[in-house]
Amino acid sequence: MNVLREVAPREEVLTKVIRELGFPWELPPRETPLALEDAAGFPLGETLVASQDHPPFSRSLRDGFAVRCEETAGASPGTPAFLRLAGEVPMGGPASESLRPGEVLSIHTGGMLPPGADGVLMLEDATVTAGWVEARKALQRGENVVFQGEEYRRGDSLLTAGSRLDERHVGIFAALGKGVVPGVDLSATVLSTGDEVVPLETDPVPQGCVRDVNGWFLTGFLRRRGFRVRHGGILRDDPEALATGFQRAFEESDLILLSGGSSVSVRDHCEEILSQIPAPGLMVRGVNIQPGKPTHLAGSLVPRRLVVGFPGHPLACATVAYTVLLPLLGAWMGSPETWTCRKERVTLLRDLVARAGVEEFVPGRWTPQGVVPLPSASGYVAALREADGFLRLPQERETARSGEEVEFWWIPR
């Protein structure tokens, strides 16, 4: 078993796991396709190939007149070109009549460009008098029009299998006349651990105990991303109970998430269990991020399984979900850009004190002027309620001052 040192940098961890598990994996198809209105959030089961050109015909982007651009050469307010108005292109119908030399056709935004035309003269650049159009502007070919197939051609690949769909993609399916979407059939089990963790319905909560937060966070997190999720409940701090619960999850699910309790014994028992699964087995004992260091990563090739052991504190658990689990899911699906957090440089609006030697992620609230850091303890439950993402401070940076640029990771919605 080749396990990384006790705490390893996040990028090194991701590279190791992706390599040893041979991501991307083949995606099992969903038996029943998804209705288009339900597809947002789910991974795409097969590559989407265009069945037609788009636009399906050359069309106008403005109200005005379909013209032969060469016939407007040299036109200006002082020396206009005069062209005969020969009719109008009907909206919602074909422009079957070709544009003849010296003529224009009235056209509306979205109207079909008639054969022979290669541009549209806008209304504000023209005057109509007694059946003649005075063109006061010279046009270049393609001005104010979009040509057939300009966005994509029939046979082009538009979305790759494994892409996580959202509202930006649904319209593409609609344009192609596809009311159903091929999905992916992936299963997951979420297990919470620790004697101090009690079910959410517990009332009153015994002293020294906390309700299960992470189990429900992770369940919702995966359901929004197209997994069939079973919340496997809370496992006691007992080697036999942990092993039995984990074995069932390992047999049933492609992805197993363990939310660790606070005690060292729970982590020790979980580490022992992960060490015994088929190769490559336990690969990572800790990730050098704050919060989220006590993260375990394991997996097997036969059967194909990914296992993530999360820290017990809620903010630490959420941080690992967005910064470690999401990149792994993107690599698994073969479409990392549609799964991971969008990153950008932003202005920091308050000083942020960090410590060197660890990669830190701090919740932040976006404003038009910049991002306000929301420093929180790793055990906070509601730390992300006002956050739009995470401020990332690399391990070599100790402090960021107000007005400086920092990296911001948007939480995917």
Side-chain angles (χ1 to χ4, degrees):
M1 181 174 58
N2 180 21
V3 185
L4 285 177
R5 59 185 179 276
E6 193 67 24
V7 176
R10 184 181 54 85
E11 289 292 346
E12 182 181 343
V13 162
L14 295 174
T15 298
K16 177 181 176 63
V17 175
I18 291 168
R19 182 183 66 247
E20 294 206 13
L21 291 180
F23 287 155
W25 283 347
E26 183 179 351
L27 302 176
R30 183 185 174 99
E31 186 175 335
T32 304
L34 296 158
L36 185 57
E37 60 266 29
D38 299 326
F42 285 79
L44 178 62
E46 59 186 50
T47 296
L48 177 63
V49 177
S51 57
Q52 64 186 57
D53 295 345
H54 194 270
F57 54 86
S58 298
R59 58 194 308 190
S60 175
L61 295 175
R62 299 286 188 272
D63 291 341
F65 303 93
V67 300
R68 297 173 182 268
C69 291
E70 63 182 16
E71 295 182 342
T72 66
S76 69
T79 55
F82 290 90
L83 302 165
R84 191 172 70 84
L85 180 60
E88 181 178 0
V89 176
M91 283 297 293
S96 53
E97 183 178 347
S98 295
L99 186 66
R100 291 177 296 215
E103 295 183 343
V104 299
L105 291 170
S106 176
I107 194 169
H108 304 284
T109 301
M112 184 175 183
L113 199 67
D118 59 2
V120 169
L121 178 70
M122 293 192 297
L123 284 176
E124 51 264 44
D125 294 321
T127 301
V128 180
T129 305
W132 288 86
V133 172
E134 179 183 308
R136 299 188 299 274
K137 181 183 177 182
L139 300 182
Q140 301 294 319
R141 181 182 185 277
E143 197 162 343
N144 300 321
V145 303
V146 56
F147 290 111
Q148 178 177 341
E150 184 174 312
E151 184 175 9
Y152 57 78
R153 291 285 187 181
R154 179 179 180 180
D156 286 351
S157 294
L158 302 179
L159 292 170
T160 59
S163 298
R164 183 173 181 247
L165 302 176
D166 60 27
E167 63 277 7
R168 297 171 299 171
H169 307 123
V170 169
I172 302 174
F173 285 88
L176 295 172
K178 296 182 181 293
V180 295
V181 177
V184 173
D185 184 19
L186 291 172
S187 58
T189 296
V190 175
L191 299 170
S192 297
T193 65
D195 289 342
E196 79 283 10
V197 182
V198 296
L200 61 88
E201 62 270 17
T202 304
D203 190 21
V205 177
Q207 288 191 357
C209 294
V210 293
R211 291 191 177 97
D212 179 19
V213 172
N214 292 354
W216 292 107
F217 167 81
L218 293 171
T219 297
F221 184 91
L222 292 178
R223 283 196 176 138
R224 287 194 64 210
R225 287 159 176 83
F227 280 79
R228 290 186 291 106
V229 188
R230 178 177 72 87
H231 189 315
I234 302 165
L235 303 180
R236 292 181 296 108
D237 182 5
D238 173 80
E240 185 175 343
L242 288 167
T244 300
F246 178 81
Q247 185 59 35
R248 180 188 172 191
F250 191 82
E251 291 171 355
E252 293 179 350
S253 302
D254 304 296
L255 173 65
I256 302 97
L257 304 185
L258 294 164
S259 169
S262 299
S263 66
V264 173
S265 59
V266 170
R267 293 197 293 272
D268 289 343
H269 296 331
C270 288
E271 183 172 318
E272 178 63 25
I273 291 169
L274 299 185
S275 299
Q276 296 175 16
I277 68 176
L282 179 62
M283 294 173 278
V284 176
R285 285 198 179 97
V287 183
N288 192 30
I289 61 174
Q290 177 65 35
K293 274 189 179 182
T295 296
H296 287 72
L297 294 168
S300 70
L301 294 172
V302 182
R304 284 181 167 174
R305 298 288 188 265
L306 173 64
V307 185
V308 182
F310 288 81
H313 287 159
L315 178 57
C317 174
T319 302
V320 172
Y322 289 116
T323 64
V324 177
L325 178 58
L326 273 188
L328 291 176
L329 293 181
W332 178 348
M333 307 298 164
S335 183
E337 67 282 355
T338 65
W339 285 81
T340 50
C341 300
R342 179 171 62 87
K343 306 169 183 63
E344 72 173 281
R345 303 292 296 179
V346 298
T347 301
L348 189 65
L349 295 184
R350 292 180 190 163
D351 289 354
L352 186 56
V353 178
R355 56 195 179 108
V358 62
E359 184 182 21
E360 292 202 46
F361 289 92
V362 178
R365 184 178 71 247
W366 184 89
T367 74
Q369 293 75 38
V371 171
V372 179
L374 305 170
S376 308
S378 62
Y380 283 10
V381 171
L384 297 182
R385 72 187 185 278
E386 296 180 357
D388 298 297
F390 295 91
L391 293 156
R392 173 187 173 269
L393 296 181
Q395 64 181 35
E396 65 274 8
R397 188 167 186 175
E398 290 190 14
T399 300
R401 298 296 183 188
S402 178
E404 293 181 349
E405 276 202 347
V406 291
E407 188 173 86
F408 188 63
W409 290 28
W410 289 88
I411 293 176
R413 302 301 183 184

